Amino acid sequence: MLEAKNISKSYENTKVLKDVSLSIERGKICALIGPSGTGKTTLLKILAFLEQPDSGSVTIDGITYKYPLEKSQKVEAPWPKVTVVFQQLFLWPHLTLLQNITLPLSARGLDDNPPRLQELLKLFDMNHFVYRYPNQASIGQRQRAALVRALLLNPEYLLLDEITSSLDIEQTAIILSQLKKLGSQGIGILTITHLLQFAHEAADKVIFMAGGEIVEEGGPNILLTPKHERLSQFLSVLKTVS
Ligand code: ADP
């Protein structure tokens, strides 16, 4: 289990997260929704140990880090056990997409052409563009490369920040069905998404954040029968633009 408890975080005197608690269980998909600027990405970074909160704690498989950390305490990001795919993707510009995908494998002394690589390239229809450099590829093609790079590391927890935002309907459907499959194989997934239909169909848990707080959470049915006015408003805005 990857669990955050009572997380608060400020940037330049502005509170971005206020007493947020959530947990990600292996084999379950959690969809995090909410307006932009509400602290969703910051929470993802904290769960991946890439950012430290001001207070609260994060526990990964029984090991708890309580913030602020003791001076002598160091956090080693549990990568690739916890792997994040950010919206910015972080691809190396001087390497082809394929090299970007395989570099973390070779850096870890692993086979950089495992059968799973060929499977994923085929599944995501990538063979015709993997030899391109990131600046020669579309954002959707780069998103697929970043996701395949993450999947090849066999993460136990996968944290995704709106990774289908630039994909067409068909590619989005393939990725979403893959995520469901990964969930059923025991990976714990937290995905920031604006795809309400996906959240409703695939998520075990939906969390709605606004103003740095969790306003409502529960099963996917909260998307059909929200209790809070703020969530109703958010859903009706999303429905009018999607
Ligand atoms: P969301 O993912 O919900 O859009 P973010 O977590 O990216 O929200 O950002 C929440 C708020 O924190 C925003 O107002 C953003 O400008 C601010 N913020 C995020 N990262 C930093 C940073 N490194 N320094 C200062 N402010 C930041």
Side-chain angles (χ1 to χ4, degrees):
M1 179 128 92
L2 177 57
E3 187 173 28
K5 269 195 188 157
N6 307 111
I7 295 292
S8 293
K9 170 85 182 167
S10 296
Y11 287 120
E12 296 147 11
N13 300 326
T14 306
K15 227 167 189 193
V16 173
L17 292 172
K18 300 170 198 161
D19 204 24
V20 171
S21 299
L22 68 76
S23 59
I24 306 164
E25 283 172 62
R26 303 274 299 269
K28 297 270 162 75
I29 299 181
C30 175
L32 184 56
I33 61 171
S36 138
T38 10
K40 302 183 298 298
T41 304
T42 305
L43 183 59
L44 219 73
K45 289 181 187 162
I46 290 171
L47 284 164
F49 299 91
L50 298 171
E51 188 86 66
Q52 293 192 6
D54 303 326
S55 58
S57 65
V58 181
T59 302
I60 168 124
D61 293 342
I63 302 168
T64 298
Y65 294 92
K66 193 167 166 13
Y67 298 94
L69 296 175
E70 305 274 325
K71 272 209 178 93
S72 59
Q73 205 180 7
K74 278 217 168 79
V75 175
E76 286 209 16
W79 176 84
K81 185 176 195 165
V82 181
T83 292
V84 198
V85 182
F86 287 109
Q87 255 178 335
Q88 296 92 324
L89 304 177
F90 300 113
L91 298 172
W92 290 281
H94 56 289
L95 298 181
T96 64
L97 295 181
L98 185 61
Q99 288 167 331
N100 267 283
I101 290 169
T102 57
L103 188 66
L105 294 175
S106 33
R108 296 177 67 75
L110 301 171
D111 175 9
D112 68 358
N113 190 14
R116 177 106 169 110
L117 171 60
Q118 298 311 322
E119 256 173 54
L120 289 169
L121 293 182
K122 196 162 166 229
L123 179 76
F124 293 133
D125 193 18
M126 296 174 64
N127 281 308
H128 61 289
F129 63 77
V130 279
Y131 295 102
R132 293 189 196 158
Y133 289 87
N135 69 353
Q136 299 167 329
S138 71
I139 173 80
Q141 291 170 338
R142 297 200 296 265
Q143 277 183 330
R144 279 179 271 173
L147 183 62
V148 169
R149 178 173 64 180
L151 292 179
L152 283 176
L153 293 168
N154 292 324
E156 293 173 26
Y157 300 94
L158 189 58
L159 311 180
L160 306 170
D161 192 355
E162 288 281 14
I163 52 141
T164 58
S165 59
S166 299
L167 298 178
D168 63 25
I169 293 172
E170 196 184 2
Q171 283 303 324
T172 302
I174 293 174
I175 286 185
L176 298 182
S177 76
Q178 277 298 301
L179 291 187
K180 283 195 230 174
K181 203 163 141 195
L182 291 168
S184 67
Q185 287 169 353
I187 298 183
I189 298 174
L190 175 72
T191 177
I192 298 176
T193 184
H194 64 279
L195 299 174
L196 294 181
Q197 200 183 338
F198 169 69
H200 186 252
E201 280 171 19
D204 298 284
K205 186 163 65 179
V206 177
I207 296 180
F208 171 62
M209 276 180 67
E213 290 176 293
I214 293 181
V215 175
E216 188 163 344
E217 64 183 306
N221 273 344
I222 67 166
L223 298 171
L224 299 179
T225 48
K227 287 200 188 80
H228 285 75
E229 182 54 27
R230 187 69 189 86
L231 178 54
S232 306
Q233 274 171 7
F234 176 72
L235 295 174
S236 51
V237 171
L238 262 197
K239 278 174 201 150
T240 52
V241 294
S242 62

